[in-house]
Amino acid sequence: MVIAGGGPTGLMLAGELALAGVDVAIVERRASQDHRGARAGGLHSRTIEVLDQRGVADRFLTEGQVAQVQSFGGSRLDISDFPTRHPYGLGLWQNHIERILAGWVRELAVPIYRGREVTGFAQDDTGVEVELPDGQSLRAEYLVGCDGGSSLVRKESGIEFPGWDPTTSALIAEAEMVEEPELGIHRDARGIHSLGRLEYEVRDGEVIYKNGGPVRIMVTEGHPGPAGEPTLRDLSEALIAVYGTDYGVHSLTWISRFTDMTRQAASYRDRRVLLAGDAAHVHSPAGGQGLNTGVQDAVNLGWKLAQVVNRTSPKGLLDTYHAERHPVAARVLRNTMAQTVLNRPADSRLDALRDTVSELMRMDEPRRRFAAMLSGLDIHYDLGEGHPLLGRRMPDLDLVTADGPLRVFTLLHDARPALLNLGEPGGLDITSWAGRIQLIDAKYAGAWELPVLGVVSAPTAVLIRPDGHVAWTGDGTDLGLRDALTTWFGPPGAV
Ligand SMILES: Cc1cc2nc3c(=O)[nH]c(=O)nc-3n(C[C@H](O)[C@H](O)[C@H](O)COP(=O)(O)OP(=O)(O)OC[C@H]3O[C@@H](n4cnc5c(N)ncnc54)[C@H](O)[C@@H]3O)c2cc1C
């Protein structure tokens, strides 16, 4: 398996594949992981959960700042009452997220060909010839393009990328400033801007910047800027246009331009080539959802790809990746487009719209629905009619087993599926899938509570996929279990 791109999506996917025993390598254009600035500002609740499912959430939590980060169009949404072990987001810059992910991938012994890039590929019936510079190539069964918004893999595969052109752009940079800047968010006729120290703490929900040190700058431009690398001069001019001064900006360590271009790959797969993360969807950073969506794409795809490569499941399993993840990103595109409008320059009519939306967001039901969407906690894959848990994330319950207490997420650390029998011990038989699925007899006495939906009836058994989504629930019988096992984990006795 070859993954083009070692950003957050590629790294997560590599980890998932390595856990499943797949021979995988990453080809990454950047010479080192920290060779760019901090784009994304952190992780949402569901992403923290998926990292917890792999037993690595603490690595991120100890470095970041836990806070109520959810917001929609400028309205803060508190999720502290949500039924999850992580009812918050995590402030942590992307370079740190990538460093921690890269450390995990290193422990899993995934080779990363750094300073190399995928320049093309050719696929046939048995695999993909992945081209590298200097006439070198790698042969793989599958190639996954995790190579970002300008994805070469997407372009070369001919997969269409329909959507909307940018209406606005902003410069984002890290630099020093001679004068003390006006820290915080600033709105004017151009739109929204922000200046903050790279180092900060969250105290009582408030961001407290450290004194001195590099400044993280985000300044909206008057009109969508040209393609190509922006310069210190562009930054200085944009700052002067907004703040009347550039605060003596100097020692630029990183600069980039982002836009609200909104596009999504028409298909996430073309035979042996797949797309994930920004390669499959781009949108404005409003609500901070891009990295989170990419990491969760990887967690949806990894185990499926592993089962196909390991010959446990037929190739058709890969079609469920597009079927499940395309609608998730389509919803992100929609909500970021709506937020872009709410972030537009001050104008009486837009102010009225912002007030109206913020009034709505202060009501409990809209708050819960929007916050569950933005945090990723309400994601529901359409697996047909049935118990409300079907297709939704399995809550991290505290179970009791014959061997003592057990957290559900602990069962998922190795990215292996689990069948939880909460009824009569020994009442479920999965001998034909032995070795593929963990079967655990357990008891759980508490309420089953899901985000937005509230309390749901307790199932007698739950089949949990490696991505933490529920593939089947029992109601006292094993009706439908064999079908679910075959659909998700291959035909009986196939290994
Ligand atoms: C200002 C800003 C703020 C943001 N804030 C948030 C936020 O708070 N939360 C959030 O979730 N998201 C946020 N995002 C979005 C987030 O940064 C992206 O969604 C995320 O980086 C996507 O990860 P990725 O791995 O899919 O792609 P990328 O991070 O773009 O990684 C792609 C990798 O592929 C490599 N590559 C490219 N081409 C090739 C090639 N041909 N061969 C080999 N390697 C190649 C690149 O070097 C890169 O390392 C923000 C973005 C911006 C601009």
Side-chain angles (χ1 to χ4, degrees):
M1 277 278 327
V2 171
I3 298 174
T9 307
L11 291 169
M12 190 73 211
L13 181 62
E16 294 290 290
L17 289 163
L19 280 176
V22 173
D23 179 12
V24 54
I26 297 177
V27 179
E28 166 55 52
R29 175 187 285 157
R30 285 181 283 158
S32 98
Q33 201 69 48
D34 50 30
H35 193 61
R36 76 175 160 180
R39 284 207 283 169
L43 302 174
H44 289 316
S45 176
R46 179 58 187 154
T47 311
I48 303 172
E49 281 195 346
V50 301
L51 295 165
D52 207 359
Q53 289 176 176
R54 297 297 176 257
V56 295
D58 284 345
R59 302 183 186 194
F60 298 83
L61 290 168
T62 49
E63 289 207 29
Q65 301 281 330
V66 162
Q68 291 302 325
V69 299
Q70 232 68 76
S71 79
F72 182 79
S75 303
R76 290 249 158 229
L77 306 170
D78 195 306
I79 63 165
S80 50
D81 60 342
F82 275 27
T84 161
R85 217 175 277 275
H86 304 289
Y88 41 71
L90 184 74
L92 184 63
W93 296 117
Q94 180 162 342
N95 48 344
H96 297 301
I97 295 172
E98 289 191 19
R99 173 176 46 76
I100 299 169
L101 279 174
W104 177 57
V105 164
R106 198 178 316 117
E107 288 164 24
L108 294 168
V110 176
I112 306 187
Y113 298 98
R114 292 193 187 278
R116 314 287 292 277
E117 63 180 314
V118 171
T119 53
F121 62 84
Q123 59 171 322
D124 55 45
D125 289 346
T126 59
V128 189
E129 201 68 25
V130 182
E131 293 161 23
L132 306 180
D134 308 325
Q136 294 187 318
S137 67
L138 291 169
R139 177 83 186 167
E141 277 198 50
Y142 285 88
L143 167 67
V144 187
C146 297
D147 48 347
S150 314
S151 172
L152 173 130
V153 174
R154 186 191 65 235
K155 289 174 188 160
E156 291 282 306
S157 68
I159 293 175
E160 289 193 26
F161 201 42
W164 296 268
D165 288 334
T167 63
T168 175
S169 68
L171 295 177
I172 175 172
E174 286 164 27
E176 301 277 348
M177 285 178 166
V178 177
E179 298 157 34
E180 184 60 28
E182 195 184 310
L183 296 178
I185 291 181
H186 177 71
R187 244 178 222 285
D188 69 2
R190 277 190 168 203
I192 196 161
H193 321 279
S194 82
L195 298 176
R197 298 271 175 215
L198 215 52
E199 303 247 332
Y200 66 90
E201 264 181 56
V202 177
R203 271 189 241 141
D204 299 329
E206 291 297 316
V207 174
I208 313 288
Y209 293 113
K210 296 266 163 74
N211 285 329
V215 181
R216 156 128 166 165
I217 302 156
M218 198 275 282
V219 54
T220 301
E221 298 178 289
H223 45 80
E229 277 296 291
T231 61
L232 180 61
R233 192 191 167 116
D234 295 327
L235 181 64
S236 163
E237 285 174 4
L239 283 166
I240 291 168
V242 172
Y243 295 92
T245 167
D246 67 2
Y247 298 108
V249 66
H250 67 100
S251 305
L252 188 66
T253 49
W254 176 72
I255 185 164
S256 184
R257 174 180 280 121
F258 70 84
T259 75
D260 65 339
M261 180 167 72
T262 307
R263 294 185 177 277
Q264 186 174 20
S267 172
Y268 281 17
R269 175 180 169 218
D270 171 36
R271 293 162 290 155
R272 291 180 170 275
V273 175
L274 295 115
L275 302 174
D278 276 16
H281 38 75
V282 295
H283 49 78
S284 115
Q289 302 165 85
L291 180 151
N292 286 272
T293 308
V295 167
Q296 291 174 41
D297 285 347
V299 174
N300 183 285
L301 176 60
W303 64 277
K304 295 174 180 173
L305 204 44
Q307 286 185 187
V308 171
V309 171
N310 291 336
R311 311 283 184 265
T312 316
S313 291
K315 289 192 194 99
L317 182 64
L318 294 177
D319 294 335
T320 68
Y321 168 59
H322 172 98
E324 293 179 352
R325 294 303 298 174
H326 192 277
V328 171
R331 202 168 61 142
V332 171
L333 262 58
R334 181 168 157 270
N335 87 52
T336 54
M337 284 171 82
Q339 293 192 71
T340 309
V341 173
L342 289 169
N343 286 339
R344 277 197 181 144
D347 158 283
S348 311
R349 288 179 174 81
L350 271 172
D351 289 345
L353 179 63
R354 269 191 284 271
D355 281 354
T356 310
V357 170
S358 110
E359 197 178 326
L360 201 62
M361 291 302 142
R362 284 196 296 274
M363 297 175 189
D364 202 45
E365 181 73 11
R367 169 192 67 90
R368 280 193 285 127
R369 283 181 182 266
F370 277 73
M373 171 179 71
L374 293 156
S375 61
L377 288 170
D378 74 344
I379 290 170
H380 176 209
Y381 300 142
D382 183 4
L383 306 190
E385 296 285 304
H387 190 281
L389 272 169
L390 191 63
R392 291 195 163 84
R393 68 183 246 302
M394 176 68 189
D396 185 20
L397 308 177
D398 287 304
L399 306 171
V400 177
T401 71
D403 299 329
L406 175 72
R407 271 178 60 184
V408 167
F409 283 7
T410 308
L411 288 172
L412 300 173
H413 281 186
D414 297 331
R416 291 185 60 220
L419 177 60
L420 209 56
N421 175 28
L422 301 155
E424 200 55 36
L428 293 173
D429 176 17
I430 55 164
T431 322
S432 305
W433 285 268
R436 266 182 270 170
I437 294 154
Q438 317 168 66
L439 174 58
I440 297 99
D441 290 324
K443 294 279 173 234
Y444 175 68
W448 289 71
E449 194 183 354
L450 297 180
V452 184
L453 299 185
V455 175
V456 299
S457 64
T460 56
V462 191
L463 179 62
I464 311 166
R465 309 190 319 189
D467 59 1
H469 282 256
V470 173
W472 173 84
T473 58
D475 58 0
T477 70
D478 64 358
L479 194 70
L481 177 58
R482 286 183 71 84
D483 285 351
L485 287 167
T486 307
T487 301
W488 298 110
F489 309 114
V495 176

